[in-house]
Amino acid sequence: VQVVESGGGLVQPGGSLRLSCTASGFTLNRYRMSWYRQAPGKERELVAAISGIATTNYADSVKGRFTISRDNAKNTVYLQMNSLKPEDTAVYYCNALLSNTYWGQGTQVTVSS
């Protein structure tokens, strides 16, 4: 079982990025998949999640700006991030909740002018 993130980078405030999390070893649409982030000096926090039946939930700080979705054919979960703010700067992690919890290696998102 493995999840691998991609798509991070440097973006100006107000810009957009799309993160991808590709799963291997399991079918992700059967499980809860989440995006977390961790900024320097802060605890890791939940950003968005999608359940096996495609119910979604979001942190208040990203509601209306971020969208979590999945492509079952590609076994991939996405996080579309719009209207990015400097406070969105963090390492973003993909999480898969099976009988165990699996984390990706993280991808850096930096929002700065």
Side-chain angles (χ1 to χ4, degrees), residues 43-105:
E43 293 188 354
R44 192 172 297 190
E45 63 174 356
L46 176 67
V47 176
I50 183 167
S51 73
I53 57 172
T55 301
T56 59
N57 64 282
Y58 298 91
D60 288 343
S61 59
V62 307
K63 281 181 181 176
R65 300 188 298 123
F66 290 13
T67 302
I68 189 170
S69 63
R70 67 188 183 206
D71 184 329
N72 295 336
K74 295 182 178 180
N75 215 33
T76 297
V77 171
Y78 302 100
L79 185 67
Q80 177 67 44
M81 306 186 294
N82 299 328
S83 302
L84 282 161
K85 305 175 181 180
E87 51 264 43
D88 294 318
T89 296
V91 178
Y92 284 71
Y93 297 91
C94 180
N95 172 277
L97 182 61
L98 284 68
S99 55
N100 293 319
T101 297
Y102 297 89
W103 294 94
Q105 82 286 354

Side-chain angles (χ1 to χ4, degrees), residues 20-52:
S20 300
C21 170
T22 299
S24 59
F26 69 103
T27 302
L28 63 77
N29 65 2
R30 298 179 181 177
Y31 302 98
R32 183 176 188 264
M33 300 294 296
S34 305
W35 286 97
Y36 285 75
R37 67 186 180 187
Q38 187 166 19
K42 295 187 177 181
E43 293 188 354
R44 192 172 297 190
E45 63 174 356
L46 176 67
V47 176
I50 183 167
S51 73

